[in-house]
Amino acid sequence: MGKEEVSAKKRRKINTSSSSDVTKQNPTDVYKRVVEFEETEAQLRPADRDASLFKKLCQDIRQLFADIAELKNKDNEEAKEKINAKRVEASLLLVALKKLNRLEKVRTRAGRDALHKEKQRVDSTHLLLQNLLYEADHLNKEVTKCLQFKSKDEEIELVPVEDFYINAPADVSRADITKKDEHQLQLARLEWELRQRRELAAACNELVASKDRVAAAIAAARSRLDALAPHLKDVLKATKPLQECLALRLDEKRDETRTASLLPPPLFLLYSNAYAYSDVLGSNVVTVSISGDEDDARRLEQLHNIDNDLVASNDSDSDADNNDEEQNKKKRHHRTSKLSKQEKAEAKKKEVLRKHPLNVLLSVKVPDGTALTLIFSYLLHLKIIVVKFTVAQPKPVTGVSAADVLNGHCILNELYPGDTGNDSPHPATAFVLNSVGISETFQYFISEVGRPYIWAQRMCGLDFMSLVVGEQNINKVIEPSRSLSITTVENFILTLKKRLKSRVELMRELQDLESGKITPAKGDMTCPVRLSGSLTQWQSVGWPEYSQSPSTNFLISEGLVTPNDLLYRAIITRQSAKLVAMVALRSDYPKVAPIFSLTLHWNGTHHSGINDDIRDIERIINTDWVSGGDNIHGCLSNQISKLLTCLDILLETSGSSEFPPDKVMLNPVRGRNRVKPYKYLKQGAGVFVQY
Amino acid sequence: MLDKILYNTVLCQTFSPCGKYLIAGNIYGQIAVFDLGRILDPVVELLTADYNKPKHIHTFQSEKQICSLASTDKFLIVGSVNEITGWDWKSVVSSKLSKPAWSIKISSKCQIDQTDVNSLWLSEDEEKLYAGCGDNNLYVYNLEDGRLVSTYDGHEDFIHSVHGKNGQLVTAGEDGMVLLWDQRTSKYHNKLEPYKNDKLNRSDVGKWVGSACLGDDWIVCGGGPRLALYHLRSLDAVTVFDLNDHGIHVTFFHDDCIFAAGAAKFLYQLNYSGEVKVELPVSATTVYSAVLRTVPNKVLSIAGSSPEMDLCTTFNYRDQVLHFR
């Protein structure tokens, strides 16, 4: 404790002593100066010597302490004095230690400051370096950017260098400079380009201007022409009264020929030939006219013309036609395929089955006033002719089945052998339908569009047969043949007239039959005897009913009767016996005799499949008919009266009391096959024999 | 106008003695020659679509039907109307028919009354030809010289069939009678009238007898009345066959079996007690002819009112269909 106090006193002393020489200055400065002094002292004194001094001092202190301890052990006065002396010495040494310590502290701080300063310097230098690197990088980039720069002039197409030297004037080309300097060359070429383009643009403007001038001139001329038309019309109108006075049909004819020019080629052929034919024959037998929407046709024609223009104009006439067709075809394919993507199936069908807007009407009359009007239409895409027809009768027909004969499609059926008009005669039709994705065959549309009879195609000069035979290439375009049309038109009109005539006669015959009357043709001697049976019903029947009858199996399986024939059911009764005859008339009746198929209801049901007698009668009716040229009419009635006779014979030879023999017969039955005497022999009063 | 051949009716058939040909005659006066060798053993390579059609069709007088046929070693005998003609086999099987080797005229009373030769039967020794005719008579001709040996009369209507065996003859007629004759005398010694038997009578079909045939101890006959088996000595109807038919036209014995056919869907093979052994379906509406032979091979040919003829080699089912058209 006492030591501490001493040291504190000493410090104060030192402090006072040290401060005594600076007290003259103000007190704050004293510290500063002390600090400054110490700092400079610390700097001046070398640190390692201080360190060794420090060590030596510490050694001394230890030594002193050890001495003191030794002295304390002695514990005498002398010792105590010594101890005090030693204490003082030690305290002085401690002061020195303190001083050294402070110096050390100052030195350390100075070192730290120096380090810190150095560090800062390094940092700033580093930052500077970074900046410089970045700048360098940026400049590099700029340089590459500049190197990569593309000038607009590279995109401009320039004339080749050789041409440039040949064509460009010397003041532009400056060969002496440009040959050496690539850049100058480029500049020169650009300049030349610019000059040239300017010139061309000027030329273009001039041409456009001249074109406009010409167009204006044309427009003016056209407007003059247009203005002319009303004048001409007026003139025409003015001639009308004169025409009427002179009974000239110039106007109508002109109209028709104008419309005719819009017809598609096949129909035009038909029209021209039929027209010529009717001119010769007189219009009371054959008349020809054109119907349909003229405007539509004109529009269609214009479309055609556009197509035509696309075709090279120096082609010959027929070639142009050809190409036109092909063009049309391509276009059609294109159009249809586009449609198939966009529109519904219905629209597709409609497009494929599209008709030319104009139709040719051909009407044929027979003397009694019945007229048949055929409407010929041209399917634009399928390239075939289809026919519809109407019948006009002078007076109404009584009787259902009789009316059918003239009204049903059957009147045109098989006008020529095998020509039912049930399928398109054009071999390409199926492909065309397929290509637009229509799965139905052409038959499906017949009721809608009309029937494509082969004679109709031939009348229009279309011959698909030659196509099939001649070449395998189905896509070949068929050109209407004029000679074919001419020959067919005449032939057809004659055939149709004949058919119509025979149909009118058949209608009368059926009318009679339906009312139960049988009127054999004049001069017919096959049935001079009284007939006991009577025709009680005559009715037309459908194919299902016909084919269901067991008696007709044989005829159908032999292919003798087809659904195309006219089918009737006749019922003949005599007392309790009822004979049902299914009658099939071929379309070309009376060229081919009707075919009878019989079923007898009497004592059970009998037909030719199970009963020989019925078979015998069928044989007589169907085969023994004499196909003479003169009694060709009324053959159906003849057959029916013959049938009545046969029925009488059959019933009267049966031995039944219901049917007493009434006719003279040589033998009621004859031969192993027990044939009845169906044949009439004109001998004496008339006698029936077997053969 | 249909082709009349569609309504063809074959009335008679016969085999040639060499066995190679089948001859059929129809109502249009035509004779068809079928080459059985080609039909039964066809050479596949040479097979044509018309192999089942006649090799030749000869036309006689077209107005007269061929009613009956018979064959001897030398001749084909054709019974038509008013005459019987004999033809050399060589000329029959050649493509063109020449003139007949011989002919026998059957005189008819007046011009329009014609005599059909409905049935021909040759005696076993092939010396005599028996012809059952449409004028109710059975004529016997000597084949050697064509002389009329005798005339058997007794029927009141035309004769449908003639058959003989063991010196006896049986004839069936439209009058409903079956007459039994001794071959040596021209008078019948017995007669059957099936329509008078209530069990046999079918009034809706008629009383006519279409066919009668002699066996060793039996007679089989049928027609309008039902098919029946009579005992030869007692002349009793032993068995009545109940068949679904509208008239019998063909009957014969073969191998303890009775063959019968007519206006029915089948040709029946029956045993004596009345059981149906085989029902052979036929094409014809009415069968007018069925011929059978066992040498050199088994063939049964059935024809009638149809252009189709059925050919059987086993007698049990229809093998082939021939077309007479």
Side-chain angles (χ1 to χ4, degrees), chain A residues 120-153:
Chain A
Q120 263 183 338
R121 213 168 50 80
V122 168
D123 272 357
S124 68
T125 319
H126 187 73
L127 199 66
L128 190 66
L129 176 66
Q130 289 282 325
N131 276 344
L132 287 174
L133 280 178
Y134 181 77
E135 204 168 326
D137 202 34
H138 180 72
L139 288 174
N140 268 335
K141 261 188 205 158
E142 286 291 307
V143 168
T144 47
K145 215 182 264 173
C146 286
L147 286 177
Q148 277 167 356
F149 173 73
K150 272 211 167 126
S151 170
K152 230 189 185 130
D153 70 290

Side-chain angles (χ1 to χ4, degrees), chain B:
Chain B
M1 181 77 168
L2 300 181
D3 191 349
K4 63 182 181 180
I5 207 78
L6 288 170
Y7 288 102
N8 192 10
T9 294
V10 177
L11 288 179
C12 49
Q13 303 172 92
T14 190
F15 293 106
S16 68
C18 59
K20 269 172 70 180
Y21 299 102
L22 170 69
I23 318 292
N26 72 0
I27 57 164
Y28 302 123
Q30 293 173 321
I31 280 188
V33 182
F34 290 96
D35 187 343
L36 284 183
R38 196 173 52 162
I39 293 161
L40 295 177
D41 307 302
V43 183
V44 177
E45 294 81 44
L46 301 177
L47 207 59
T48 50
D50 60 347
Y51 81 100
N52 55 5
K53 293 205 172 158
K55 194 178 175 196
H56 310 297
I57 294 183
H58 303 303
T59 307
F60 294 73
Q61 293 142 297
S62 60
E63 284 291 291
K64 294 174 178 173
Q65 48 187 22
I66 307 289
C67 305
S68 55
L69 288 169
S71 68
T72 68
D73 279 341
K74 281 184 191 162
F75 303 111
L76 169 70
I77 303 169
V78 177
S80 77
V81 180
N82 285 344
E83 68 176 348
I84 302 171
T85 47
W87 303 79
D88 258 329
W89 276 111
K90 243 185 234 158
S91 90
V92 170
V93 300
S94 68
S95 62
K96 200 157 157 47
L97 199 64
S98 54
K99 287 202 166 168
W102 48 266
S103 75
I104 301 166
K105 293 267 180 216
I106 297 169
S107 56
S108 55
K109 285 162 220 138
C110 67
Q111 203 212 324
I112 57 164
D113 190 14
Q114 294 163 326
T115 310
D116 303 324
V117 183
N118 281 334
S119 180
L120 287 172
W121 183 74
L122 280 165
S123 61
E124 280 94 342
D125 51 9
E126 289 198 352
E127 275 183 359
K128 284 175 181 167
L129 178 68
Y130 293 81
C133 291
D135 59 357
N136 314 349
N137 292 332
L138 174 67
Y139 297 103
V140 186
Y141 295 98
N142 192 332
L143 269 187
E144 203 65 44
D145 51 8
R147 194 163 42 85
L148 178 67
V149 179
S150 56
T151 306
Y152 295 12
D153 64 334
H155 276 290
E156 287 154 23
D157 210 331
F158 66 86
I159 295 175
H160 270 284
S161 86
V162 187
H163 188 250
K165 189 154 196 173
N166 302 336
Q168 277 202 314
L169 280 176
V170 64
T171 56
E174 178 69 20
D175 53 4
M177 292 196 286
V178 176
L179 300 185
L180 280 159
W181 316 74
D182 191 294
Q183 286 182 13
R184 289 158 297 187
T185 61
S186 57
K187 204 90 186 113
Y188 67 90
H189 59 80
N190 263 318
K191 71 169 178 182
L192 305 171
E193 286 169 305
Y195 69 95
K196 290 192 173 163
N197 184 333
D198 285 342
K199 276 195 264 179
L200 300 181
N201 190 25
R202 287 188 292 197
S203 60
D204 59 322
V205 189
K207 64 177 186 176
W208 54 276
V209 180
S211 177
C213 192
L214 270 175
D216 287 328
D217 297 312
W218 309 93
I219 306 171
V220 67
C221 64
R226 287 196 170 81
L227 184 70
L229 187 69
Y230 283 85
H231 192 248
L232 189 55
R233 266 182 289 280
S234 66
L235 297 180
D236 285 334
V238 180
T239 314
V240 177
F241 300 97
D242 189 20
L243 304 176
N244 187 16
D245 67 289
H246 294 90
I248 299 290
H249 287 278
V250 178
T251 57
F252 56 90
F253 290 100
H254 172 76
D255 239 2
D256 286 337
C257 230
I258 296 161
F259 283 63
K265 288 194 173 69
F266 303 101
L267 176 133
Y268 295 95
Q269 294 174 35
L270 312 141
N271 65 10
Y272 291 176
S273 59
E275 287 164 27
V276 176
K277 285 172 75 178
V278 177
E279 280 184 339
L280 197 68
V282 293
S283 311
T285 308
T286 305
V287 176
Y288 290 113
S289 165
V291 288
L292 180 148
R293 69 149 197 229
T294 49
V295 186
N297 44 16
K298 283 163 80 175
V299 176
L300 168 64
S301 175
I302 308 157
S305 50
S306 165
E308 268 96 54
M309 296 162 60
D310 303 313
L311 200 66
C312 319
T313 49
T314 58
F315 308 158
N316 289 330
Y317 55 86
R318 174 161 50 187
D319 276 320
Q320 290 195 46
V321 175
L322 307 181
H323 293 269
F324 187 170
R325 57 163 111 177

Side-chain angles (χ1 to χ4, degrees), chain A residues 252-385:
Chain A
E252 283 173 43
K253 277 191 185 168
R254 218 176 356 243
D255 273 352
E256 283 228 319
T257 37
R258 199 179 51 228
T259 328
S261 69
L262 295 172
L263 286 171
L267 284 181
F268 181 74
L269 252 186
L270 169 70
Y271 174 76
S272 58
N273 286 329
Y275 191 80
Y277 191 80
S278 79
D279 250 10
V280 175
L281 250 78
S283 56
N284 55 339
V285 179
V286 181
T287 52
V288 192
S289 59
I290 296 170
S291 76
D293 190 341
E294 223 173 290
D295 294 337
D296 264 0
R298 206 158 282 138
R299 233 167 286 138
L300 200 73
E301 179 88 352
Q302 274 164 8
L303 263 176
H304 261 242
N305 285 342
I306 290 165
D307 289 345
N308 255 342
D309 289 346
L310 294 175
V311 178
S313 55
N314 57 352
D315 274 3
S316 78
D317 209 4
S318 67
D319 275 357
D321 246 2
N322 234 337
N323 284 334
D324 174 31
E325 297 252 17
E326 270 166 15
Q327 200 78 17
N328 206 16
K329 206 168 210 172
K330 272 181 210 156
K331 207 178 135 208
R332 183 187 73 223
H333 278 305
H334 181 65
R335 195 186 301 159
T336 46
S337 69
K338 226 165 98 187
L339 273 174
S340 71
K341 282 172 203 154
Q342 294 165 355
E343 296 192 24
K344 288 176 190 166
E346 201 56 36
K348 264 187 300 176
K349 275 178 209 165
K350 226 174 241 173
E351 177 63 24
V352 168
L353 298 174
R354 204 169 119 203
K355 285 177 182 173
H356 192 275
L358 291 183
N359 309 319
V360 172
L361 304 184
L362 178 71
S363 58
V364 177
K365 259 185 223 161
V366 287
D368 85 320
T370 309
L372 180 71
T373 304
L374 300 168
I375 304 163
F376 292 81
S377 317
Y378 183 63
L379 294 185
L380 286 169
H381 297 322
L382 294 175
K383 299 204 180 305
I384 50 176
I385 304 290

Side-chain angles (χ1 to χ4, degrees), chain A residues 18 93 121 132 139 188 274 291 320 379 397 451 499 530 643 689:
Chain A
S18 64
L93 283 174
R121 213 168 50 80
L132 287 174
L139 288 174
S291 76
L379 294 185
V397 182
R451 285 179 178 267
R499 164 68 65 93
R530 197 168 58 82
L643 179 61
V689 296

